[in-house]
Amino acid sequence: MKVFMEGSHAAAEAVKMIKPGVVCAYPITPQTHIVERLSEMVAGGELDAEYVNVESEHSAASVVLGSTAAGARSYTATSSQGLILMSEVLFNIAGMRLPVVLTCVNRALSAPINIWNDHQDSMAVRDSGWIQLYAENNQEVHDLHFAAYKIAEHKDIMLPVMVCMDGFILSHGYEVLDLAEQSQVDKYLPGYKPAYKLDTEDPLTMGLLGSPEVYTETRYAIQKTMDEALALIEKEEREFEKIFNRKQPLLIESYKTEGADKVLIAMGSICGTIKEVVDELRAKGQKVGLVKIVCFRPLPVEKISQALKGVKHIGVLDKAISLGAFGPLHLEISALAQIKNIATQPVSGFIAGLGGRDIRPKTIKEIFSLMDKGAQAASFVDLNKWYKEESPIMVS
Amino acid sequence: MQDNLFVSGHTACAGCGQSMAARIVLNAAGKNTIITNATGCLEVFSTGFPQTAWAVPFIHSLFENSAAVASGVEAGLKHLGIKDRVNVIAQGGDGGTADIGLQALSGMLERGHDVLYVMYDNEAYMNTGIQRSGMTPICAETTTSPAGKRSLGKVRPKKNMAAICAAHGIPYVATASAGYPKDIERKVKKALPIKGPKFMHIFVPCPLGWRHDPSATDKIAKLAVETGLFPVLEYENGEITNVMRFKQLKPLSELLKAQGRFRHLMKESPEAKEALAFLENIVQENIARYKLIKE
């Protein structure tokens, strides 16, 4: 069914159809519209779930940890400082192999306090053992939630999944999207049947002390699962299309990369703008393309390598910066290019769109034009002119 | 007698008051119980992979979130329609409960989850090596509140967790001591059938941290109550309904002398005298406030 809907409600409608038993969240802008809508659904009897209003994000994450361990499908959502406050628990959830799903409505980190979009929050927890999926538009916001639960609860995965959606741009932006039917969701995603849970009939101790004798193996097990998950996620892509009758890329999407000289790599809503610029430049005869990364964790190394094979100039657009080094996605693509021996030139890194600064087509064009002008390490391409003139960039 | 649900073979120190109390709590609760546990001695000495001392479902997550994890377990069980058959007990030490976990505990109490929270109070961060907590008594020596030329140990009295929890308007709050196992058992059995949040503060000596003989745990756990320093009582719906009273209290010095952590107060100095007077004053306040003396 076609509807005109903001991204937050597209997420909430998906969560409703997923039928979690426990929803728990703490309010933070711009996540609030999702959980407000879910609490309305619970209050109105549309969603049969326990809605737990907690006193902090640390507790929100802890509640869904506990409820998932008890055997109930659970959901939470947060942004920015909330995600960072949760971070201790996020690592714990992954280590305990609990298939929690969380929506991260991406927002910048303080200081200065800033409620607008970038990817610094989810990038800061990229090592936590969570699978991370990034949505380009509200259709993807809706659809990725179904896939997120399917992936998280897969018996051979059992890892938490974070659905990342750009704050305000998607969460508060209205778009036409095709809402799923409940029957499709029920077919795609059966009820949660945990392989292990806190059960008085079959007692089990969770969260044990892992000595140096076993700790490495627990980490290796997650790394191995992440690796194996790539094939399972790709399978889910086909399964999703079969049931929902639409394509939802779950690993990457290659856009006009055939015969491209220059390919830009990015995640999230900016990919929509990049596609328009690619169309415009292609029309002018420039051989440019985009690789959109949907699944950042696990990083689809083979898929990305295949998409970049033979591309002369590779650029990465990060809406985050590992301060004192490079853009996080840039770092990983550079490593991948070296390990897979695909780059003929160094991979360039561009930083833009921090704290809600709009990335305009002009900036994307500038990035494409810089991509064959020598390596860019962490080039802040949308700095204000007055700042650029006053102080040279430390890393450029 | 039923089998122990918290079984032997764990690695607690000899004379550990916490392990004694935990066994009494769990045996009183019975097998239809799920435990959430904060990081601390209890979790560390009982769950070294691949072993566990817990014959009931047990989950340890982090230091400060036992109450929040228990809230989640309770919500999950409610959704699954089995909460009425299962007790949820959240456990933590004094640091994990009264310091780093106080916010999560307050949230759990305010939201009204059907959970019994048990704080095992050994009056310092014992698992990390006897550092001072908000529950360390005034003038006690710890590794981060050492006595010295300019210090008599901890500078402030401990938090009154029972009163803090009772102030949340929850149906049941109790204090207890490892020295009175039957009292612990009775209170757990009384608390669990009550719907809503319940809180128990159990005084558990730590021979290593308090520097007393492991065989003295029971004696010290009793003395703390018998001297009036640790009142044992019950609150129901915010009102004190029961207090363990004595015809006559024992002298405080008996309790203090039995523990190395108060040894610096036994010196003949004006400061030590003042400190002892302060501790004695706490006893006098307890006598007045809780009517500790039988009339």
Side-chain angles (χ1 to χ4, degrees):
Chain A
M1 186 179 61
K2 298 276 186 200
V3 293
F4 186 57
M5 192 175 266
E6 67 165 39
S8 297
H9 293 166
E13 288 296 331
V15 171
K16 183 183 89 175
M17 287 186 257
I18 285 159
K19 301 176 191 164
V22 175
V23 176
C24 178
Y26 185 81
I28 183 166
T29 302
Q31 152 263 34
T32 42
H33 286 189
I34 300 177
V35 295
E36 284 169 2
R37 179 51 64 92
L38 285 169
S39 66
E40 279 168 21
M41 290 166 172
V42 172
E46 286 173 75
L47 171 60
D48 178 24
E50 297 294 322
Y51 190 99
V52 186
N53 279 299
V54 277
E55 81 298 333
S56 73
E57 285 91 354
H58 196 284
S59 284
S62 301
V63 163
V64 293
L65 182 157
S67 56
T68 305
R73 181 179 280 165
S74 305
Y75 174 79
T76 186
T78 190
S79 294
S80 180
Q81 307 304 127
L83 192 76
I84 299 305
L85 185 56
M86 278 184 182
S87 63
E88 187 196 20
V89 192
L90 298 181
F91 281 76
N92 204 241
I93 289 171
M96 291 170 81
R97 309 298 295 256
L98 294 169
V100 171
V101 171
L102 175 156
T103 307
C104 174
V105 186
N106 289 107
R107 165 186 150 179
L109 295 172
S110 278
I113 187 167
N114 173 298
I115 60 167
W116 296 276
N117 169 248
D118 66 32
H119 291 166
Q120 293 183 89
D121 50 3
S122 52
M123 283 293 125
V125 296
R126 67 187 187 274
D127 302 333
S128 60
W130 282 61
I131 290 171
Q132 287 193 354
L133 306 173
Y134 286 78
E136 179 191 331
N137 50 45
N138 290 351
Q139 184 70 61
E140 293 199 348
V141 165
H142 188 63
D143 292 348
L144 286 179
H145 283 85
F146 306 122
Y149 276 94
K150 189 76 182 286
I151 294 164
E153 294 171 3
H154 192 291
K155 67 172 177 42
D156 296 327
I157 298 181
M158 290 300 278
L159 281 174
V161 178
M162 189 179 298
V163 178
C164 301
M165 58 186 281
D166 286 326
F168 292 109
I169 300 167
L170 298 181
S171 65
H172 292 56
Y174 277 73
E175 283 184 331
V176 174
L177 66 130
D178 194 3
L179 271 193
E181 303 288 334
Q182 185 66 57
S183 58
Q184 291 172 318
V185 178
D186 291 343
K187 198 170 165 201
Y188 179 74
L189 184 70
Y192 177 44
K193 293 214 171 53
Y196 40 84
K197 63 173 179 175
L198 298 167
D199 181 358
T200 53
E201 298 302 313
D202 186 14
L204 159 94
T205 293
M206 297 173 80
L208 296 97
L209 175 73
S211 67
E213 295 297 310
V214 297
Y215 184 87
T216 303
E217 283 68 23
T218 67
R219 281 350 230 181
Y220 179 73
I222 296 178
Q223 177 72 359
K224 191 159 174 281
T225 299
M226 283 278 188
D227 193 37
E228 290 164 356
L230 287 165
L232 297 166
I233 296 170
E234 197 176 359
K235 215 177 113 205
E236 279 314 316
E237 213 173 273
R238 297 192 289 275
E239 184 74 7
F240 187 94
E241 190 182 354
K242 224 177 353 178
I243 293 174
F244 293 93
N245 306 314
R246 56 176 174 264
K247 271 192 197 300
Q248 170 54 57
L250 295 177
L251 293 174
I252 67 167
E253 180 189 344
S254 299
Y255 188 77
K256 302 197 176 168
T257 50
E258 311 79 25
D261 287 336
K262 296 177 182 176
V263 167
L264 186 56
I265 301 169
M267 302 196 294
S269 63
I270 191 57
C271 292
T273 312
I274 298 173
K275 283 174 182 172
E276 292 207 7
V277 172
V278 165
D279 289 348
E280 194 188 321
L281 296 179
R282 281 270 179 181
K284 290 179 184 161
Q286 295 187 32
K287 293 178 185 168
V288 296
L290 161 75
V291 170
K292 173 178 92 178
I293 295 182
V294 181
C295 184
F296 176 67
R297 282 289 179 277
L299 192 70
V301 172
E302 288 301 330
K303 284 262 164 196
I304 298 170
S305 306
Q306 280 165 24
L308 296 178
K309 208 153 242 170
V311 175
K312 210 164 165 192
H313 304 290
I314 301 167
V316 179
L317 172 54
D318 268 288
K319 287 172 97 169
I321 172 74
S322 178
L323 294 165
F326 310 97
L329 184 59
H330 175 219
L331 266 175
E332 305 206 353
I333 300 298
S334 298
L336 170 160
Q338 196 211 16
I339 290 161
K340 289 286 161 186
N341 199 22
I342 52 166
T344 52
Q345 308 273 337
V347 177
S348 284
F350 305 92
I351 314 293
L354 301 185
R357 179 160 300 173
D358 279 340
I359 305 177
R360 291 159 195 250
K362 187 171 74 100
T363 303
I364 307 289
K365 282 178 203 162
E366 191 192 335
I367 289 172
F368 274 120
S369 76
L370 284 169
M371 275 166 64
D372 57 1
K373 306 264 185 325
Q376 308 279 326
S379 177
F380 280 66
V381 282
D382 59 358
L383 266 187
N384 277 320
K385 203 161 172 285
W386 54 263
Y387 192 86
K388 238 181 192 167
E389 280 170 359
E390 276 178 14
S391 50
I393 313 160
M394 185 181 75
V395 186
S396 71
Chain B
M1 199 186 125
Q2 67 171 3
D3 292 338
N4 279 328
L5 295 168
F6 179 63
V7 303
S8 60
H10 57 70
T11 57
C13 303
C16 170
Q18 188 179 27
S19 63
M20 288 160 56
R23 180 167 51 82
I24 297 156
V25 167
L26 183 53
N27 284 344
K31 71 178 188 62
N32 287 327
T33 301
I34 294 175
I35 301 267
T36 74
N37 211 111
T39 306
C41 284
L42 180 58
E43 158 268 328
V44 168
F45 70 62
S46 66
T47 69
F49 181 86
Q51 296 183 315
T52 180
W54 303 92
V56 297
F58 173 100
I59 183 168
H60 155 252
S61 167
L62 296 164
F63 200 2
E64 68 275 53
N65 68 353
S66 185
V69 172
S71 302
V73 169
E74 182 248 24
L77 296 176
K78 250 165 117 178
H79 177 73
L80 297 170
I82 53 174
K83 177 62 198 78
D84 289 344
R85 289 194 272 124
V86 182
N87 305 310
V88 180
I89 298 181
Q91 304 189 132
D94 49 292
T97 304
D99 286 350
I100 198 168
L102 185 59
Q103 176 183 315
L105 172 64
S106 175
M108 184 197 97
L109 300 180
E110 181 270 329
R111 290 189 300 271
H113 292 279
D114 189 20
V115 174
L116 168 62
Y117 194 104
V118 181
M119 174 177 75
Y120 299 100
D121 179 14
N122 55 22
E123 302 196 313
Y125 291 91
M126 298 315 187
N127 193 42
T128 43
I130 321 159
Q131 291 83 18
R132 163 238 196 263
S133 82
M135 297 303 283
T136 302
I138 189 162
C139 297
E141 209 184 13
T142 69
T143 57
T144 52
S145 62
K149 217 185 279 176
R150 294 182 185 173
S151 166
L152 282 165
K154 198 199 176 206
V155 292
R156 293 270 304 143
K158 63 193 285 170
K159 298 183 190 181
N160 186 339
M161 280 300 289
I164 289 169
C165 293
H168 284 71
I170 62 171
Y172 187 75
V173 173
T175 64
S177 164
Y180 300 92
K182 286 283 169 200
D183 183 60
I184 296 176
E185 188 184 332
R186 180 183 69 79
K187 285 171 176 166
V188 169
K189 287 189 167 164
K190 181 172 174 178
L192 284 171
I194 301 170
K195 284 266 168 279
K198 289 82 64 175
F199 179 81
M200 272 182 77
H201 173 177
I202 307 182
F203 184 85
V204 290
C206 169
L208 190 73
W210 297 6
R211 287 181 270 148
H212 64 73
D213 193 273
S215 66
T217 297
D218 179 63
K219 185 185 91 180
I220 288 171
K222 282 196 177 79
L223 268 176
V225 185
E226 292 165 338
T227 55
L229 192 63
F230 186 82
V232 164
L233 47 86
E234 287 172 289
Y235 285 88
E236 285 169 83
N237 300 310
E239 299 296 323
I240 294 174
T241 53
N242 183 34
V243 177
M244 192 181 283
R245 296 195 166 95
F246 299 88
K247 273 195 180 138
Q248 200 184 344
L249 294 178
K250 290 191 174 166
L252 189 59
S253 58
E254 265 191 53
L255 173 68
L256 303 181
K257 276 180 185 158
Q259 304 170 59
R261 61 177 176 158
F262 293 112
R263 193 166 296 149
H264 59 287
L265 301 184
M266 303 304 147
K267 284 185 215 151
E268 283 295 323
S269 74
E271 292 81 15
K273 279 214 173 82
E274 200 184 321
L276 285 173
F278 199 100
L279 281 158
E280 187 54 50
N281 190 48
I282 293 174
V283 169
Q284 292 307 318
E285 279 175 12
N286 286 344
I287 291 170
R289 184 171 180 188
Y290 304 111
K291 300 181 181 66
L292 294 181
I293 312 282
K294 271 185 194 163
E295 311 229 324

